[in-house]
Amino acid sequence: MKIKHIANTLFLSLLLSLPAFALSLDAAKSQGLVGETPQGYLAAVSANADSSVKQLVDSINTQRKAAYQESATKAGVATDIIAKRMAQRLYQRAESGEYLLQPDGRWTKQ
């Protein structure tokens, strides 16, 4: 239960802490340039993504990693547990047309 509360708080924190990238992230997701991974991080859908997509992915993932580490420390669990919990929530909340990376390495469109 404690992990669930922390994960929910983390999700809201992530949404609120990314206002500078909110439009860019939304646009990148809606255009199919980036998608969510089962590890709780963002990835470029194409291996040939341009530098602006790569910079966006790197920036978002740096912020996510810091938030995951902070939540994991508070909960007394490993960072990857928090990250995978967040991935589950991000997959559940994915909008129609967004890409999700499957465990077998295939990108699927929601």
Side-chain angles (χ1 to χ4, degrees), residues 11-108:
F11 184 76
L12 291 174
S13 297
L14 284 172
L15 290 178
L16 297 174
S17 69
L18 304 174
F21 294 107
L23 293 176
S24 297
L25 177 57
D26 289 343
K29 280 186 170 186
S30 68
Q31 293 173 27
L33 301 174
V34 300
E36 296 294 341
T37 71
Q39 292 78 27
Y41 295 96
L42 199 63
V45 173
S46 170
N48 301 324
D50 68 27
S51 63
S52 63
V53 172
K54 291 176 184 175
Q55 287 175 353
L56 175 68
V57 167
D58 289 345
S59 178
I60 298 296
N61 286 342
T62 297
Q63 293 177 51
R64 285 185 181 185
K65 184 175 183 179
Y68 295 161
Q69 288 174 333
E70 183 179 335
S71 292
T73 299
K74 287 179 184 176
V77 298
T79 303
D80 66 325
I81 291 173
I82 297 293
K84 287 178 183 176
R85 282 272 175 130
M86 286 307 302
Q88 291 171 344
R89 286 183 171 73
L90 291 166
Y91 273 50
Q92 291 169 350
R93 294 178 176 156
E95 302 275 331
S96 178
E98 291 182 0
Y99 281 87
L100 304 173
L101 186 63
Q102 300 305 312
D104 65 3
R106 288 181 306 111
W107 286 103
T108 57

